[in-house]
Each structure stands twice: as C-alpha cells, then as structure tokens.
C-alpha cells in the first residue's frame, strides 16, 4: 500500500488543483498550491467547477473556471482575467493571490488549536489476530462490533485487501471470512431501520467494484449477511477511506467515502422497501491530494478527514453545511504528525468528552487529541514488542471503544493494523493487534479518562 500511495501522490502532483506547470504564464499562479503554502484550505466543487477556499483568518471565498468574478467574504469582485484550467490545475491572476495572502490578517481561526510539541509513551498489545491469508499489503482497517447480549462475545471486523472481510473473536481467532473483493475500509453502526426492525450494520469500500458493500450483523453470532440494494457505485477514481455516520440531529444514516485522489462523497442510506440498502448522493467535494482516514462523531455532528500528506481536517458532518472545513486539527509538518496520516478513530467519553486518535503511519505511532472543543493535542504512543505479541509498525486502520467487553477487555479496547507481523523471528502475513484501553490511559501523563459504559447504541446528541 505504501508504494501505491507514493505512486498515486506522484501521479496526482501534476493533476487537479495541485501545482502549476513549468510553462504557466508569469501573470498567473496556481490557486491551491499558492494558498496552501500560506496555510489556507482549498476545496474543489466539480459540479460547479468552483474552487472554494478558507483563509487562515476564517474568511471564505471562491473562484469559478472561465469566469472573472470572485467571492471573498460577503463581497464580490473582478479578477484581472478569467480563472482557467491548465493541465488540470486552477490558475488565477497572480495579483489576486497576492491580495488574498495580504488579506490573511487577524486571528488564525482555521487551525483548531496551537498544538504542543510531541510527547511519546510506549505500550504493548495483549492479543493479536490470526494473520490474513494474503501476503504483502493486505490487512487494512478494523471495526469493533459490540454484542448486545454478551459483550465478551463481541467481534472485530477487519478488511483484507487480498480478498474480503474477516471476522475475529476477542481472542484473535478468525470466525468468518467473506470473499467480496478488495475491501479497503470498514465501519459499524447500530439500530439501522431495515425491514421493519432495527439492525446492526457494517459497510465497507470495495475497490474491486468501486462501490460500497452493506451487511447486517447477526446479533447472536456476529455473522454477516449481504444487504446491498442498488449498490452504491462511486463516481470517484478509486474508493478508499470510509465511515458511517448516524445523525442524531435528523435520525438519518450516511455513508462517507474518501478517494485516492482526495475525492469525498456522502450518501444518505435507507431501506429500499425490500429490506435492502440503497444510497442517495447528497454532497461531494475534493481535497487536493490522497486521503483515506475518516471518522464521524455522531454526538457532535462532526467528521474528521485525514489528507495523508497535509493535515487532519474537521468538517460538519451534516450534508447541507458546506464543503469547506471548520478547522484544521493538526498538520503533517513533522512535529506531531508525519506523512502518511492514516486511520482515525474516536473514543467517546463521559458528558461529551473523549479523544480523537490518528495513526501517524510515517512514524509508526499514534497521536491523541481531545475530542471536544478545539481538539488540543495530548500525547502520542507506540505499540512496542511485548511478552504476548510483537509491536506495530506503519499502521493503516485503527479503532477504539469505551465500553467493557467482558473479562478480557473490561476497560475498553484499542485495535491497530500491523504492517509487519513478526512471530518467532519470522515475518508473517499482516494482522491486527488488540490492547486494553487502560494500558494507553495509564501510560499517558496526565492519565487519560477511562470509562466502560458508553454504549454505542445509546449515544446522545451534544451541543457544540
């Protein structure tokens, strides 16, 4: 996967909205590259051929291809010449770029917080799953499912890009395998209305068909049953990152997809009347570069997107609330995060507190931020070699749960994909490492919150 990512980034560097070709006219400048260097956010709306931007001071604006008008805050103005597309890159008159950069005065409201320097601690895993059957870069993303009758019988759903979805018990033993294609990222939600009752569902991006797969989860056994209706076929080049979102504001459920070229699509998902799941596209936009990590906060109505080589972005998860980010949580500048930023997950704490956790793949470690407020950085940790398992490296997907899962994980669970699975000195196929949340919480100084009763079926709408 790492080689593929590097290739995708290199190929995309000369494409949509990223950098200027060497022969561009001197009086034009690349909009995205110029503004990103100045700390702004730039997003592409393909439906209107518009580049929208948000400056450091919070001012928003936009330009549209083949038009000489621009919007900046509540005002409109005239460009010296029309915005144009050259080799897939949006170019605008250079004096407009100079104006925007000079206008970036006042407080920096785009960055969520002035983040601290990295603090690092070390923990070890308790359990590892059986290795996936495919070699090389195959294991990718985990999702924890809570058994409603017996939490100790909860399962771990995981993707195998070599050919499907795997289901493990909490001892790491494989229970089921589903050969549905090159599945990349997976997520779970509870009490989805289907066929006149509420069911737990899992969904995942499938790179074999550039689509989303939906499954009902058997509440007794954890087995999966395909519930695809008219399958969601993405318009993006290749589906990649994924999250489900249950809006506690409206009650609606959504599938969120990120693409390998930074595309984002949001689909409302619903019962098609025959006990199957259909999807309706309700929002789309495009980041500048490759993006995969994606997680939604159902209680606050936010979503976090990891643009791998750039930043973690915080967005409103409601589809009618625009295409520009609310804030930048942190940047891949080598201080706390190093490219690639990969998996994202949320630890739901008491009274709306908790943690946002990111897989810092470039440094084989994990960064922890506050879930509430401005997402202040707290600490980072590595999963080192221990007496039970080896450590993790170059992690893709992660998941966390603030709910007790019986005697094995009474204080909650953290799961991470391991790129290089070592057993008795031999490199095996990739797998997933499991460790109790208490290990992480007690290693960090000051200690993190530990809660064991945040039932994912009983989340509460929070005021921002």
């Amino acid at each position: 996967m790492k080689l593929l990512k590097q290739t995708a980034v290199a190929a995309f560097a000369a494409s949509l909205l990223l950098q200027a070709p060497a022969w561009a006219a001197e009086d034009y400048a690349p909009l995205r590259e110029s503004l990103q260097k100045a700390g702004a956010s730039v997003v592409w709306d393909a439906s209107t051929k518009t580049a929208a931007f948000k400056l450091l001071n919070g001012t928003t604006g936009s330009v549209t291809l083949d038009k000489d008008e621009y919007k900046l805050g509540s005002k409109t103005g005239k460009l010296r010449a029309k915005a144009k597309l050259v080799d897939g890159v949006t170019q605008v008159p250079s004096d407009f770029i100079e104006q925007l950069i000079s206008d970036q005065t006042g407080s920096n409201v785009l960055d969520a917080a002035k983040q601290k320097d990295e603090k690092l601690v070390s923990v070890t895993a308790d359990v590892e799953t059986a290795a996936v059957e495919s070699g090389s870069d195959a294991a990718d993303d985990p999702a924890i499912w809570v058994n409603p009758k017996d939490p100790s019988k909860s399962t771990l759903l995981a993707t195998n890009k070599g050919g499907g979805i795997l289901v493990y018990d909490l001892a790491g033993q494989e229970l089921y395998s589903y050969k549905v294609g090159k599945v990349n990222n997976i997520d779970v939600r509870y009490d989805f209305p289907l066929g006149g009752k509420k069911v737990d569902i899992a969904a995942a991006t499938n790179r074999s068909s550039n689509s989303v797969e939906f499954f009902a989860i058997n509440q007794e056994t954890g087995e999966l049953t395909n519930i695809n209706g008219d399958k969601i076929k993405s318009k993006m080049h290749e589906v990649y990152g994924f999250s489900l979102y249950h809006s506690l504001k409206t009650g609606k459920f959504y599938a969120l997809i990120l693409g390998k070229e930074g595309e984002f699509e949001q689909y409302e998902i619903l019962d098609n009347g025959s006990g199957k799941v259909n999807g309706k596209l309700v929002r789309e936009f495009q980041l500048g570069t490759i993006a995969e990590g994606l997680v939604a906060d159902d209680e606050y109505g936010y979503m976090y997107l990891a643009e791998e080589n750039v930043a973690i972005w915080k967005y409103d998860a409601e589809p009618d609330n625009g295409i520009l980010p609310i804030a930048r949580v942190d940047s891949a500048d080598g201080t706390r995060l190093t490219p690639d930023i990969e998996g994202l997950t949320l630890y739901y704490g008491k009274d709306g507190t908790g943690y946002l956790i990111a897989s810092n793949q470039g440094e084989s470690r994990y960064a922890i931020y506050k879930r509430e407020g401005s997402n202040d950085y707290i600490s980072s940790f590595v999963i080192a070699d221990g007496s039970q398992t080896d450590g993790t490296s170059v992690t893709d997907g992660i998941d966390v749960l603030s709910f007790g899962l019986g005697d094995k994980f009474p204080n909650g669970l953290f799961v991470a994909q391991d790129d290089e699975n070592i057993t008795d000195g031999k490199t095996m196929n990739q797998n997933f490492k499991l460790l109790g949340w208490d290990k992480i919480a007690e290693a960090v100084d000051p200690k993190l919150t530990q809660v064991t009763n945040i039932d994912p079926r009983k989340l509460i709408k929070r005021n921002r």
Side-chain angles (χ1 to χ4, degrees):
M1 182 177 189
K2 269 49 72 179
L3 179 58
L4 289 175
K5 288 175 182 171
Q6 292 168 0
T7 302
V9 172
F12 193 54
S15 65
L16 185 63
L17 300 173
L18 186 60
Q19 65 180 24
W23 50 268
E26 290 184 2
D27 59 346
Y28 270 81
L31 180 70
R32 180 184 294 279
E33 181 186 35
S34 302
L35 290 188
Q36 281 191 335
K37 284 181 179 179
S41 166
V42 184
V43 175
W44 175 250
D45 184 345
S47 64
T48 60
K49 297 184 178 180
T50 295
F53 52 84
K54 190 171 189 177
L55 305 180
L56 276 175
N57 61 10
T59 301
T60 60
S62 64
V63 297
T64 301
L65 290 182
D66 299 321
K67 293 187 178 181
D68 60 1
E69 289 185 348
Y70 68 84
K71 293 182 180 179
L72 189 61
S74 60
K75 301 177 181 179
T76 59
K78 284 281 188 180
L79 299 172
R80 181 169 44 81
K82 292 180 180 180
K84 62 182 181 179
L85 198 67
V86 180
D87 284 354
V89 178
T90 297
Q91 302 272 336
V92 295
S94 55
D95 59 340
F96 180 60
I97 295 294
E98 294 171 2
Q99 174 191 339
L100 293 178
I101 294 175
S102 65
D103 282 347
Q104 291 204 111
T105 57
S107 61
N108 181 352
V109 299
L110 182 59
D111 284 331
K114 184 174 175 59
Q115 303 292 16
K116 303 173 183 176
D117 289 340
E118 184 185 50
K119 297 194 301 181
L120 186 64
V121 298
S122 179
V123 296
T124 59
D126 298 303
V127 173
E128 62 181 336
T129 67
V132 300
E133 65 182 25
S134 303
S136 187
D137 179 30
D140 196 291
D141 191 45
I144 306 163
W145 172 74
V146 177
N147 186 304
K149 297 181 179 179
D150 185 351
S152 69
K153 294 181 180 179
S154 299
T155 59
L156 177 68
L157 287 70
T159 61
N160 170 18
K161 294 193 294 289
I165 295 174
L166 303 171
V167 181
Y168 300 97
D169 64 21
L170 297 182
Q173 298 303 305
E174 184 180 312
L175 299 175
Y176 315 110
S177 177
Y178 302 91
K179 306 290 187 182
V180 294
K182 296 180 179 179
V183 181
N184 205 81
N185 281 45
I186 192 166
D187 202 9
V188 167
R189 281 302 184 274
Y190 302 88
D191 295 338
F192 179 79
L194 190 71
K197 54 186 179 181
K198 293 183 176 180
V199 302
D200 298 344
I201 61 170
T205 44
N206 187 340
R207 287 159 64 178
S208 294
S209 54
N210 216 43
S211 63
V212 180
E213 304 285 345
F214 289 93
F215 302 89
I217 306 173
N218 185 300
Q219 295 199 0
E220 298 283 347
T221 65
E223 292 177 275
L224 305 182
T225 302
N226 189 291
I227 52 171
N228 289 323
D230 295 330
K231 187 175 285 191
I232 292 175
K233 290 278 191 177
S234 174
K235 299 192 297 182
M236 62 185 64
H237 177 69
E238 184 175 5
V239 294
Y240 213 42
F242 184 77
S243 177
L244 290 167
Y245 169 54
H246 179 201
S247 170
L248 300 184
K249 176 182 178 181
T250 65
K252 296 179 179 180
F253 287 78
Y254 298 94
L256 314 175
I257 310 171
L258 273 175
K260 288 190 75 172
E261 295 182 352
E263 311 100 320
F264 171 82
E265 294 175 357
Q266 180 168 3
Y267 293 83
E268 182 184 349
I269 57 172
L270 61 163
D271 188 338
N272 68 359
S274 302
K276 303 291 184 180
V277 176
N278 280 6
K280 178 177 65 174
L281 183 65
V282 292
R283 178 166 58 165
E284 59 182 319
F285 56 81
Q286 185 161 356
L287 304 174
T289 57
I290 185 170
E292 180 176 8
L294 177 59
V295 68
D297 190 325
D298 291 1
E299 292 193 331
Y300 282 111
Y302 293 131
M303 63 179 181
Y304 297 88
L305 283 61
E307 190 175 359
E308 293 187 4
N309 304 301
V310 180
I312 300 172
W313 301 104
K314 184 177 187 177
Y315 275 82
D316 196 307
E318 295 298 319
D320 56 352
N321 284 344
I323 64 172
L324 284 167
I326 296 170
R328 177 173 43 220
V329 175
D330 205 356
S331 300
D333 59 6
T335 305
R336 293 154 302 274
L337 297 173
T338 301
D340 301 337
I341 310 168
E342 283 286 334
L344 299 175
T345 188
L346 286 162
Y347 180 93
Y348 285 81
K350 183 179 178 181
D351 298 327
T353 62
Y355 308 102
L356 168 68
I357 307 173
S359 169
N360 183 7
Q361 189 180 75
E363 295 289 346
S364 295
R365 57 188 63 170
Y366 313 90
I368 307 171
Y369 304 84
K370 284 186 177 181
R371 172 185 168 224
E372 67 275 17
S374 58
N375 304 116
D376 293 333
Y377 171 77
I378 298 172
S379 185
S380 299
F381 65 95
V382 297
I383 302 177
D385 292 345
S387 59
Q388 303 296 318
T389 76
D390 62 313
T392 59
S393 61
V394 197
T395 293
D396 281 309
I398 56 177
D399 199 13
V400 70
L401 184 72
S402 50
F403 191 77
L405 299 179
D407 293 338
K408 189 171 292 291
F409 297 106
N411 299 303
L413 174 64
F414 179 81
V415 183
Q417 181 260 5
D418 183 18
D419 179 74
E420 188 176 40
N421 174 31
I422 307 296
T423 302
D424 296 327
K426 296 181 179 179
T427 301
M428 312 292 286
N429 287 348
Q430 296 177 342
N431 69 351
F432 299 86
K433 267 54 176 188
L434 292 72
L435 60 152
W437 173 254
D438 52 300
K439 281 192 169 183
I440 301 168
E442 293 172 9
V444 172
D445 183 22
K447 295 181 179 180
L448 303 179
T449 298
Q450 296 185 54
V451 292
T452 61
N453 60 350
I454 305 297
D455 188 336
R457 293 179 171 85
K458 299 178 181 179
L459 299 181
I460 300 170
K461 183 180 180 299
R462 306 286 178 186
N463 294 323
R464 297 178 179 178

